[in-house]
mmCIF file of all heavy atoms in Angstrom:
data_model
loop_
_atom_site.group_PDB
_atom_site.id
_atom_site.type_symbol
_atom_site.label_atom_id
_atom_site.label_comp_id
_atom_site.label_asym_id
_atom_site.label_seq_id
_atom_site.Cartn_x
_atom_site.Cartn_y
_atom_site.Cartn_z
ATOM 1 N N GLU A 18 3.204 -9.871 -2.799
ATOM 2 C CA GLU A 18 3.113 -8.607 -3.533
ATOM 3 C C GLU A 18 1.731 -8.084 -3.556
ATOM 4 O O GLU A 18 0.771 -8.829 -3.558
ATOM 5 C CB GLU A 18 3.597 -8.860 -4.974
ATOM 6 C CG GLU A 18 4.967 -9.368 -5.118
ATOM 7 C CD GLU A 18 5.908 -8.411 -5.745
ATOM 8 O OE1 GLU A 18 5.425 -7.452 -6.378
ATOM 9 O OE2 GLU A 18 7.108 -8.580 -5.569
ATOM 10 N N GLY A 19 1.609 -6.816 -3.496
ATOM 11 C CA GLY A 19 0.302 -6.145 -3.594
ATOM 12 C C GLY A 19 0.367 -4.767 -4.201
ATOM 13 O O GLY A 19 1.413 -4.354 -4.612
ATOM 14 N N CYS A 20 -0.720 -4.104 -4.251
ATOM 15 C CA CYS A 20 -0.819 -2.711 -4.821
ATOM 16 C C CYS A 20 -1.393 -1.872 -3.692
ATOM 17 O O CYS A 20 -2.621 -1.690 -3.549
ATOM 18 C CB CYS A 20 -1.711 -2.655 -6.018
ATOM 19 S SG CYS A 20 -1.155 -3.536 -7.438
ATOM 20 N N PRO A 21 -0.528 -1.316 -2.836
ATOM 21 C CA PRO A 21 -1.006 -0.410 -1.768
ATOM 22 C C PRO A 21 -1.891 0.709 -2.350
ATOM 23 O O PRO A 21 -1.556 1.261 -3.382
ATOM 24 C CB PRO A 21 0.238 0.086 -1.136
ATOM 25 C CG PRO A 21 1.282 -0.921 -1.470
ATOM 26 C CD PRO A 21 0.910 -1.371 -2.824
ATOM 27 N N THR A 22 -2.942 1.008 -1.678
ATOM 28 C CA THR A 22 -3.869 1.993 -2.183
ATOM 29 C C THR A 22 -4.340 2.906 -1.034
ATOM 30 O O THR A 22 -4.855 2.471 -0.032
ATOM 31 C CB THR A 22 -5.150 1.277 -2.783
ATOM 32 O OG1 THR A 22 -4.718 0.319 -3.711
ATOM 33 C CG2 THR A 22 -6.050 2.354 -3.496
ATOM 34 N N TRP A 23 -4.059 4.195 -1.229
ATOM 35 C CA TRP A 23 -4.498 5.203 -0.201
ATOM 36 C C TRP A 23 -5.980 5.541 -0.399
ATOM 37 O O TRP A 23 -6.461 5.762 -1.469
ATOM 38 C CB TRP A 23 -3.647 6.445 -0.392
ATOM 39 C CG TRP A 23 -3.961 7.517 0.552
ATOM 40 C CD1 TRP A 23 -4.208 7.416 1.914
ATOM 41 C CD2 TRP A 23 -3.994 8.932 0.296
ATOM 42 N NE1 TRP A 23 -4.422 8.661 2.446
ATOM 43 C CE2 TRP A 23 -4.301 9.601 1.514
ATOM 44 C CE3 TRP A 23 -3.808 9.712 -0.834
ATOM 45 C CZ2 TRP A 23 -4.421 11.022 1.597
ATOM 46 C CZ3 TRP A 23 -3.906 11.082 -0.750
ATOM 47 C CH2 TRP A 23 -4.179 11.737 0.440
ATOM 48 N N THR A 24 -6.700 5.554 0.728
ATOM 49 C CA THR A 24 -8.096 5.912 0.682
ATOM 50 C C THR A 24 -8.345 7.258 0.129
ATOM 51 O O THR A 24 -9.408 7.562 -0.468
ATOM 52 C CB THR A 24 -8.761 5.740 2.032
ATOM 53 O OG1 THR A 24 -8.063 6.558 3.005
ATOM 54 C CG2 THR A 24 -8.768 4.307 2.530
ATOM 55 N N GLY A 25 -7.358 8.191 0.245
ATOM 56 C CA GLY A 25 -7.467 9.510 -0.284
ATOM 57 C C GLY A 25 -7.499 9.489 -1.842
ATOM 58 O O GLY A 25 -7.954 10.446 -2.457
ATOM 59 N N HIS A 26 -7.019 8.479 -2.435
ATOM 60 C CA HIS A 26 -7.105 8.238 -3.894
ATOM 61 C C HIS A 26 -8.311 7.392 -4.231
ATOM 62 O O HIS A 26 -8.966 7.568 -5.239
ATOM 63 C CB HIS A 26 -5.854 7.536 -4.450
ATOM 64 C CG HIS A 26 -4.687 8.436 -4.513
ATOM 65 N ND1 HIS A 26 -3.398 7.935 -4.578
ATOM 66 C CD2 HIS A 26 -4.580 9.788 -4.508
ATOM 67 C CE1 HIS A 26 -2.542 8.978 -4.617
ATOM 68 N NE2 HIS A 26 -3.251 10.074 -4.624
ATOM 69 N N LEU A 27 -8.644 6.395 -3.367
ATOM 70 C CA LEU A 27 -9.674 5.480 -3.638
ATOM 71 C C LEU A 27 -11.088 6.092 -3.566
ATOM 72 O O LEU A 27 -11.921 5.894 -4.453
ATOM 73 C CB LEU A 27 -9.634 4.290 -2.638
ATOM 74 C CG LEU A 27 -10.657 3.157 -2.857
ATOM 75 C CD1 LEU A 27 -10.526 2.555 -4.210
ATOM 76 C CD2 LEU A 27 -10.458 2.110 -1.729
ATOM 77 N N ALA A 28 -11.344 6.922 -2.548
ATOM 78 C CA ALA A 28 -12.657 7.534 -2.385
ATOM 79 C C ALA A 28 -13.079 8.371 -3.623
ATOM 80 O O ALA A 28 -14.169 8.155 -4.163
ATOM 81 C CB ALA A 28 -12.705 8.307 -1.072
ATOM 82 N N PRO A 29 -12.238 9.311 -4.044
ATOM 83 C CA PRO A 29 -12.694 10.042 -5.237
ATOM 84 C C PRO A 29 -12.794 9.188 -6.461
ATOM 85 O O PRO A 29 -13.664 9.442 -7.367
ATOM 86 C CB PRO A 29 -11.602 11.124 -5.429
ATOM 87 C CG PRO A 29 -10.537 10.884 -4.459
ATOM 88 C CD PRO A 29 -11.001 9.802 -3.530
ATOM 89 N N ALA A 30 -11.999 8.121 -6.595
ATOM 90 C CA ALA A 30 -12.103 7.207 -7.738
ATOM 91 C C ALA A 30 -13.454 6.461 -7.713
ATOM 92 O O ALA A 30 -14.127 6.315 -8.750
ATOM 93 C CB ALA A 30 -10.933 6.191 -7.766
ATOM 94 N N LEU A 31 -13.884 6.075 -6.540
ATOM 95 C CA LEU A 31 -15.173 5.446 -6.410
ATOM 96 C C LEU A 31 -16.308 6.370 -6.772
ATOM 97 O O LEU A 31 -17.255 5.981 -7.468
ATOM 98 C CB LEU A 31 -15.341 4.890 -4.987
ATOM 99 C CG LEU A 31 -14.512 3.721 -4.633
ATOM 100 C CD1 LEU A 31 -14.584 3.418 -3.131
ATOM 101 C CD2 LEU A 31 -14.861 2.481 -5.489
ATOM 102 N N VAL A 43 -14.948 -3.971 -11.129
ATOM 103 C CA VAL A 43 -13.889 -2.955 -11.303
ATOM 104 C C VAL A 43 -12.846 -3.152 -10.210
ATOM 105 O O VAL A 43 -13.207 -3.220 -9.021
ATOM 106 C CB VAL A 43 -14.428 -1.545 -11.231
ATOM 107 C CG1 VAL A 43 -13.321 -0.542 -11.349
ATOM 108 C CG2 VAL A 43 -15.484 -1.305 -12.305
ATOM 109 N N HIS A 44 -11.612 -3.206 -10.557
ATOM 110 C CA HIS A 44 -10.512 -3.230 -9.589
ATOM 111 C C HIS A 44 -9.934 -1.865 -9.550
ATOM 112 O O HIS A 44 -9.483 -1.286 -10.561
ATOM 113 C CB HIS A 44 -9.451 -4.218 -10.010
ATOM 114 C CG HIS A 44 -9.907 -5.668 -9.930
ATOM 115 N ND1 HIS A 44 -9.106 -6.679 -10.448
ATOM 116 C CD2 HIS A 44 -10.969 -6.217 -9.447
ATOM 117 C CE1 HIS A 44 -9.733 -7.817 -10.237
ATOM 118 N NE2 HIS A 44 -10.892 -7.579 -9.666
ATOM 119 N N LEU A 45 -9.883 -1.233 -8.364
ATOM 120 C CA LEU A 45 -9.259 -0.003 -8.174
ATOM 121 C C LEU A 45 -8.136 -0.220 -7.177
ATOM 122 O O LEU A 45 -8.356 -0.556 -6.026
ATOM 123 C CB LEU A 45 -10.253 1.042 -7.638
ATOM 124 C CG LEU A 45 -11.327 1.532 -8.597
ATOM 125 C CD1 LEU A 45 -12.314 2.388 -7.854
ATOM 126 C CD2 LEU A 45 -10.722 2.236 -9.733
ATOM 127 N N ALA A 46 -6.886 -0.032 -7.616
ATOM 128 C CA ALA A 46 -5.749 -0.197 -6.706
ATOM 129 C C ALA A 46 -4.629 0.720 -7.169
ATOM 130 O O ALA A 46 -4.597 1.115 -8.313
ATOM 131 C CB ALA A 46 -5.252 -1.654 -6.743
ATOM 132 N N GLY A 47 -3.780 1.085 -6.236
ATOM 133 C CA GLY A 47 -2.616 1.924 -6.573
ATOM 134 C C GLY A 47 -1.880 1.333 -7.753
ATOM 135 O O GLY A 47 -1.693 0.115 -7.840
ATOM 136 N N ALA A 48 -1.420 2.169 -8.642
ATOM 137 C CA ALA A 48 -0.677 1.754 -9.795
ATOM 138 C C ALA A 48 0.623 1.130 -9.378
ATOM 139 O O ALA A 48 1.317 1.583 -8.464
ATOM 140 C CB ALA A 48 -0.513 2.859 -10.806
ATOM 141 N N THR A 49 1.007 0.097 -10.041
ATOM 142 C CA THR A 49 2.183 -0.743 -9.838
ATOM 143 C C THR A 49 2.153 -1.534 -8.557
ATOM 144 O O THR A 49 1.365 -1.239 -7.646
ATOM 145 C CB THR A 49 3.549 0.050 -9.881
ATOM 146 O OG1 THR A 49 3.604 0.935 -8.744
ATOM 147 C CG2 THR A 49 3.629 0.882 -11.170
ATOM 148 N N HIS A 50 2.899 -2.593 -8.545
ATOM 149 C CA HIS A 50 2.876 -3.483 -7.367
ATOM 150 C C HIS A 50 4.236 -3.524 -6.775
ATOM 151 O O HIS A 50 5.246 -3.111 -7.338
ATOM 152 C CB HIS A 50 2.445 -4.886 -7.779
ATOM 153 C CG HIS A 50 3.336 -5.513 -8.811
ATOM 154 N ND1 HIS A 50 4.436 -6.226 -8.488
ATOM 155 C CD2 HIS A 50 3.263 -5.553 -10.184
ATOM 156 C CE1 HIS A 50 5.042 -6.646 -9.599
ATOM 157 N NE2 HIS A 50 4.324 -6.206 -10.635
ATOM 158 N N ILE A 51 4.283 -3.987 -5.484
ATOM 159 C CA ILE A 51 5.483 -4.052 -4.704
ATOM 160 C C ILE A 51 5.347 -5.135 -3.673
ATOM 161 O O ILE A 51 4.220 -5.407 -3.229
ATOM 162 C CB ILE A 51 5.860 -2.715 -4.107
ATOM 163 C CG1 ILE A 51 7.241 -2.707 -3.492
ATOM 164 C CG2 ILE A 51 4.808 -2.249 -3.112
ATOM 165 C CD1 ILE A 51 7.878 -1.365 -3.285
ATOM 166 N N SER A 52 6.471 -5.681 -3.187
ATOM 167 C CA SER A 52 6.432 -6.620 -2.051
ATOM 168 C C SER A 52 6.155 -5.821 -0.819
ATOM 169 O O SER A 52 6.414 -4.596 -0.719
ATOM 170 C CB SER A 52 7.757 -7.365 -1.905
ATOM 171 O OG SER A 52 8.715 -6.507 -1.379
ATOM 172 N N TRP A 53 5.565 -6.496 0.197
ATOM 173 C CA TRP A 53 5.297 -5.812 1.442
ATOM 174 C C TRP A 53 6.608 -5.342 2.136
ATOM 175 O O TRP A 53 6.641 -4.331 2.788
ATOM 176 C CB TRP A 53 4.455 -6.661 2.347
ATOM 177 C CG TRP A 53 3.099 -6.911 1.737
ATOM 178 C CD1 TRP A 53 2.539 -8.106 1.340
ATOM 179 C CD2 TRP A 53 2.158 -5.929 1.292
ATOM 180 N NE1 TRP A 53 1.353 -7.920 0.714
ATOM 181 C CE2 TRP A 53 1.053 -6.601 0.646
ATOM 182 C CE3 TRP A 53 2.108 -4.542 1.394
ATOM 183 C CZ2 TRP A 53 -0.023 -5.908 0.209
ATOM 184 C CZ3 TRP A 53 0.997 -3.856 0.837
ATOM 185 C CH2 TRP A 53 -0.043 -4.567 0.276
ATOM 186 N N PHE A 56 7.453 -2.145 0.384
ATOM 187 C CA PHE A 56 6.546 -1.130 0.816
ATOM 188 C C PHE A 56 6.967 -0.605 2.167
ATOM 189 O O PHE A 56 7.006 0.616 2.424
ATOM 190 C CB PHE A 56 5.105 -1.689 0.862
ATOM 191 C CG PHE A 56 4.020 -0.670 1.199
ATOM 192 C CD1 PHE A 56 4.033 0.553 0.564
ATOM 193 C CD2 PHE A 56 3.034 -1.013 2.053
ATOM 194 C CE1 PHE A 56 3.035 1.483 0.892
ATOM 195 C CE2 PHE A 56 1.988 -0.077 2.393
ATOM 196 C CZ PHE A 56 2.011 1.175 1.802
ATOM 197 N N TRP A 87 0.315 -13.345 -4.303
ATOM 198 C CA TRP A 87 0.083 -12.334 -5.279
ATOM 199 C C TRP A 87 -1.305 -11.755 -5.081
ATOM 200 O O TRP A 87 -2.306 -12.429 -5.363
ATOM 201 C CB TRP A 87 0.194 -12.900 -6.657
ATOM 202 C CG TRP A 87 0.109 -11.887 -7.763
ATOM 203 C CD1 TRP A 87 -1.003 -11.657 -8.500
ATOM 204 C CD2 TRP A 87 1.112 -10.971 -8.190
ATOM 205 N NE1 TRP A 87 -0.742 -10.603 -9.407
ATOM 206 C CE2 TRP A 87 0.570 -10.162 -9.217
ATOM 207 C CE3 TRP A 87 2.427 -10.785 -7.846
ATOM 208 C CZ2 TRP A 87 1.295 -9.200 -9.923
ATOM 209 C CZ3 TRP A 87 3.174 -9.813 -8.524
ATOM 210 C CH2 TRP A 87 2.581 -9.042 -9.552
ATOM 211 N N SER A 88 -1.379 -10.547 -4.610
ATOM 212 C CA SER A 88 -2.701 -9.897 -4.386
ATOM 213 C C SER A 88 -2.690 -8.527 -5.126
ATOM 214 O O SER A 88 -3.412 -7.610 -4.716
ATOM 215 C CB SER A 88 -3.008 -9.739 -2.926
ATOM 216 O OG SER A 88 -2.027 -8.970 -2.270
ATOM 217 N N ALA A 89 -1.893 -8.393 -6.170
ATOM 218 C CA ALA A 89 -1.816 -7.184 -6.965
ATOM 219 C C ALA A 89 -2.991 -7.147 -7.957
ATOM 220 O O ALA A 89 -3.083 -8.012 -8.793
ATOM 221 C CB ALA A 89 -0.466 -7.085 -7.687
ATOM 222 N N LEU A 90 -3.800 -6.131 -7.774
ATOM 223 C CA LEU A 90 -4.965 -5.953 -8.719
ATOM 224 C C LEU A 90 -4.650 -4.832 -9.665
ATOM 225 O O LEU A 90 -3.963 -3.863 -9.334
ATOM 226 C CB LEU A 90 -6.220 -5.592 -7.881
ATOM 227 C CG LEU A 90 -6.691 -6.650 -6.868
ATOM 228 C CD1 LEU A 90 -7.917 -6.096 -6.124
ATOM 229 C CD2 LEU A 90 -7.039 -7.968 -7.558
ATOM 230 N N GLU A 91 -5.198 -4.912 -10.848
ATOM 231 C CA GLU A 91 -5.187 -3.745 -11.770
ATOM 232 C C GLU A 91 -6.398 -3.886 -12.677
ATOM 233 O O GLU A 91 -6.910 -4.996 -12.909
ATOM 234 C CB GLU A 91 -3.890 -3.718 -12.537
ATOM 235 C CG GLU A 91 -3.637 -4.923 -13.478
ATOM 236 C CD GLU A 91 -2.328 -4.814 -14.248
ATOM 237 O OE1 GLU A 91 -2.376 -4.167 -15.331
ATOM 238 O OE2 GLU A 91 -1.369 -5.283 -13.712
ATOM 239 N N SER A 92 -6.863 -2.774 -13.094
ATOM 240 C CA SER A 92 -7.991 -2.740 -13.966
ATOM 241 C C SER A 92 -7.559 -2.777 -15.389
ATOM 242 O O SER A 92 -6.634 -2.039 -15.821
ATOM 243 C CB SER A 92 -8.875 -1.520 -13.780
ATOM 244 O OG SER A 92 -10.001 -1.524 -14.639
ATOM 245 N N GLU A 93 -8.174 -3.644 -16.166
ATOM 246 C CA GLU A 93 -7.853 -3.728 -17.640
ATOM 247 C C GLU A 93 -8.998 -3.121 -18.432
ATOM 248 O O GLU A 93 -9.009 -3.191 -19.628
ATOM 249 C CB GLU A 93 -7.601 -5.179 -18.018
ATOM 250 C CG GLU A 93 -6.359 -5.766 -17.337
ATOM 251 C CD GLU A 93 -6.129 -7.193 -17.647
ATOM 252 O OE1 GLU A 93 -6.976 -7.814 -18.327
ATOM 253 O OE2 GLU A 93 -5.080 -7.672 -17.278
ATOM 254 N N VAL A 97 -12.308 2.725 -17.221
ATOM 255 C CA VAL A 97 -11.841 3.074 -15.833
ATOM 256 C C VAL A 97 -10.541 3.768 -15.872
ATOM 257 O O VAL A 97 -9.551 3.361 -16.450
ATOM 258 C CB VAL A 97 -11.760 1.751 -14.993
ATOM 259 C CG1 VAL A 97 -11.204 2.085 -13.591
ATOM 260 C CG2 VAL A 97 -13.088 1.065 -14.900
ATOM 261 N N LEU A 98 -10.514 4.948 -15.175
ATOM 262 C CA LEU A 98 -9.314 5.780 -15.195
ATOM 263 C C LEU A 98 -8.240 5.105 -14.284
ATOM 264 O O LEU A 98 -8.622 4.540 -13.273
ATOM 265 C CB LEU A 98 -9.640 7.166 -14.644
ATOM 266 C CG LEU A 98 -10.668 7.942 -15.451
ATOM 267 C CD1 LEU A 98 -11.049 9.266 -14.735
ATOM 268 C CD2 LEU A 98 -10.132 8.219 -16.812
ATOM 269 N N PRO A 99 -6.986 5.206 -14.678
ATOM 270 C CA PRO A 99 -5.974 4.563 -13.859
ATOM 271 C C PRO A 99 -5.803 5.283 -12.485
ATOM 272 O O PRO A 99 -5.982 6.486 -12.412
ATOM 273 C CB PRO A 99 -4.688 4.684 -14.688
ATOM 274 C CG PRO A 99 -4.965 5.783 -15.639
ATOM 275 C CD PRO A 99 -6.467 5.847 -15.873
ATOM 276 N N MET A 100 -5.441 4.534 -11.530
ATOM 277 C CA MET A 100 -5.171 5.064 -10.214
ATOM 278 C C MET A 100 -3.758 5.590 -10.127
ATOM 279 O O MET A 100 -2.866 5.183 -10.838
ATOM 280 C CB MET A 100 -5.324 3.970 -9.121
ATOM 281 C CG MET A 100 -6.784 3.454 -9.015
ATOM 282 S SD MET A 100 -7.839 4.631 -8.146
ATOM 283 C CE MET A 100 -7.196 4.483 -6.443
ATOM 284 N N PRO A 101 -3.523 6.554 -9.207
ATOM 285 C CA PRO A 101 -2.158 7.057 -9.016
ATOM 286 C C PRO A 101 -1.235 5.980 -8.498
ATOM 287 O O PRO A 101 -1.685 5.009 -7.887
ATOM 288 C CB PRO A 101 -2.286 8.247 -8.052
ATOM 289 C CG PRO A 101 -3.733 8.593 -8.123
ATOM 290 C CD PRO A 101 -4.507 7.348 -8.479
ATOM 291 N N ASP A 102 0.051 6.179 -8.700
ATOM 292 C CA ASP A 102 1.064 5.261 -8.152
ATOM 293 C C ASP A 102 0.976 5.157 -6.645
ATOM 294 O O ASP A 102 0.710 6.218 -5.942
ATOM 295 C CB ASP A 102 2.461 5.786 -8.578
ATOM 296 C CG ASP A 102 3.537 4.770 -8.261
ATOM 297 O OD1 ASP A 102 4.042 4.771 -7.113
ATOM 298 O OD2 ASP A 102 3.842 3.979 -9.155
ATOM 299 N N TRP A 103 1.226 3.986 -6.087
ATOM 300 C CA TRP A 103 1.090 3.829 -4.637
ATOM 301 C C TRP A 103 2.109 4.726 -3.930
ATOM 302 O O TRP A 103 1.819 5.143 -2.778
ATOM 303 C CB TRP A 103 1.329 2.361 -4.269
ATOM 304 C CG TRP A 103 2.680 1.810 -4.563
ATOM 305 C CD1 TRP A 103 3.012 1.108 -5.725
ATOM 306 C CD2 TRP A 103 3.843 1.925 -3.806
ATOM 307 N NE1 TRP A 103 4.363 0.821 -5.682
ATOM 308 C CE2 TRP A 103 4.912 1.303 -4.537
ATOM 309 C CE3 TRP A 103 4.144 2.515 -2.556
ATOM 310 C CZ2 TRP A 103 6.163 1.230 -4.044
ATOM 311 C CZ3 TRP A 103 5.463 2.467 -2.077
ATOM 312 C CH2 TRP A 103 6.392 1.794 -2.840
ATOM 313 N N ARG A 104 3.213 5.090 -4.510
ATOM 314 C CA ARG A 104 4.227 6.010 -3.822
ATOM 315 C C ARG A 104 3.597 7.340 -3.610
ATOM 316 O O ARG A 104 3.811 7.973 -2.595
ATOM 317 C CB ARG A 104 5.493 6.061 -4.631
ATOM 318 C CG ARG A 104 6.386 4.814 -4.515
ATOM 319 C CD ARG A 104 7.507 4.880 -5.551
ATOM 320 N NE ARG A 104 7.027 4.508 -6.872
ATOM 321 C CZ ARG A 104 7.209 3.312 -7.418
ATOM 322 N NH1 ARG A 104 7.948 2.408 -6.804
ATOM 323 N NH2 ARG A 104 6.734 3.084 -8.592
ATOM 324 N N ASP A 105 2.801 7.853 -4.586
ATOM 325 C CA ASP A 105 2.096 9.074 -4.448
ATOM 326 C C ASP A 105 1.039 8.990 -3.305
ATOM 327 O O ASP A 105 0.804 9.940 -2.586
ATOM 328 C CB ASP A 105 1.417 9.517 -5.750
ATOM 329 C CG ASP A 105 2.404 9.750 -6.854
ATOM 330 O OD1 ASP A 105 3.616 10.071 -6.556
ATOM 331 O OD2 ASP A 105 2.044 9.657 -8.004
ATOM 332 N N GLY A 106 0.393 7.814 -3.233
ATOM 333 C CA GLY A 106 -0.586 7.615 -2.190
ATOM 334 C C GLY A 106 0.086 7.610 -0.809
ATOM 335 O O GLY A 106 -0.453 8.180 0.133
ATOM 336 N N LEU A 107 1.234 6.968 -0.691
ATOM 337 C CA LEU A 107 1.952 6.972 0.554
ATOM 338 C C LEU A 107 2.329 8.418 0.939
ATOM 339 O O LEU A 107 2.156 8.779 2.151
ATOM 340 C CB LEU A 107 3.203 6.048 0.492
ATOM 341 C CG LEU A 107 4.137 6.047 1.646
ATOM 342 C CD1 LEU A 107 3.368 5.650 2.942
ATOM 343 C CD2 LEU A 107 5.298 5.143 1.401
ATOM 344 N N ALA A 108 2.875 9.172 0.031
ATOM 345 C CA ALA A 108 3.231 10.537 0.290
ATOM 346 C C ALA A 108 2.011 11.329 0.750
ATOM 347 O O ALA A 108 2.099 12.136 1.696
ATOM 348 C CB ALA A 108 3.904 11.161 -0.941
ATOM 349 N N GLY A 109 0.878 11.128 0.084
ATOM 350 C CA GLY A 109 -0.354 11.837 0.440
ATOM 351 C C GLY A 109 -0.832 11.436 1.857
ATOM 352 O O GLY A 109 -1.209 12.315 2.656
#
Side-chain angles (χ1 to χ4, degrees):
E18 301 249 341
C20 295
T22 309
W23 180 40
T24 55
H26 287 158
L27 182 60
L31 290 170
V43 176
H44 292 171
L45 291 174
T49 69
H50 59 87
I51 188 160
S52 74
W53 296 118
F56 186 44
W87 185 260
S88 59
L90 300 175
E91 64 181 271
S92 181
E93 296 177 353
V97 175
L98 300 174
M100 294 286 288
D102 189 274
W103 63 265
R104 285 171 280 258
D105 296 335
L107 175 57

